[in-house]
């Protein structure tokens, strides 16, 4: 059974930074994509950024230039460095791990950007 555990969320002022972490445990293919999604109140869940095991990255337009995704394959952990945070970044952030066959989600971590 694969489990994803997110951490690093919290409350930060506009312009501040946070670093989210997502640690995956269990047995899964080394060929996978790890990603961050977010869901704000009253809105649909949306992709923030993804990173394949091969190193290909993808960012949503609203976060380009401000967020950076990275991963440590030795620790099965993906990170999301979030800089220059804005109030509209407020959401629950979810980690996702996809292989060719399986699709796993974390429980989410709250990020609140407010003065």
């Amino acid at each position: 059974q694969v489990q994803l555990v997110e951490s690093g969320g919290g409350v930060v002022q506009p312009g501040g930074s946070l670093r989210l972490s997502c640690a995956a445990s269990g047995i899964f293919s080394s060929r996978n994509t790890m990603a961050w999604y977010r869901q704000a109140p009253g809105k649909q869940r949306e992709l923030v950024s993804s990173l394949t095991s091969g190193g290909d990255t993808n960012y949503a337009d609203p976060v380009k230039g401000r967020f950076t995704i990275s991963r440590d394959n030795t620790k099965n952990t993906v990170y999301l460095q979030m800089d220059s945070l804005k109030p509209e970044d407020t959401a629950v952030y979810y980690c996702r791990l996809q292989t060719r066959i399986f699709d796993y989600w974390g429980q989410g971590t709250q990020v609140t950007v407010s003065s």
Side-chain angles (χ1 to χ4, degrees):
Q1 181 74 14
V2 174
Q3 287 189 320
L4 303 177
V5 178
E6 300 109 331
S7 60
V11 180
V12 64
Q13 292 187 341
S17 298
L18 282 175
R19 188 191 193 210
L20 304 183
S21 300
C22 172
S25 61
I27 299 173
F28 51 90
S29 172
S30 60
R31 295 183 67 183
N32 58 68
T33 298
M34 297 190 80
W36 289 96
Y37 285 71
R38 67 186 181 187
Q39 187 167 18
K43 295 188 177 182
Q44 290 188 328
R45 191 174 297 188
E46 62 179 5
L47 174 68
V48 175
S49 182
S50 63
L51 175 55
T52 70
S53 51
D56 295 326
T57 60
N58 182 43
Y59 293 94
D61 286 342
V63 308
K64 283 181 180 176
R66 300 189 297 121
F67 291 10
T68 303
I69 192 170
S70 61
R71 61 191 287 169
D72 183 341
N73 291 328
T74 65
K75 298 180 179 180
N76 290 327
T77 299
V78 64
Y79 306 97
L80 186 69
Q81 178 66 41
M82 305 186 295
D83 299 317
S84 302
L85 283 161
K86 304 176 181 179
E88 51 263 44
D89 294 318
T90 295
V92 177
Y93 284 71
Y94 297 90
C95 177
R96 184 183 191 185
L97 168 64
Q98 291 175 280
T99 68
R100 188 173 65 84
I101 300 175
F102 298 107
D103 190 359
Y104 305 99
W105 289 87
Q107 80 288 351
T109 185
Q110 177 70 45
V111 171
T112 301
V113 185
S114 174
S115 56

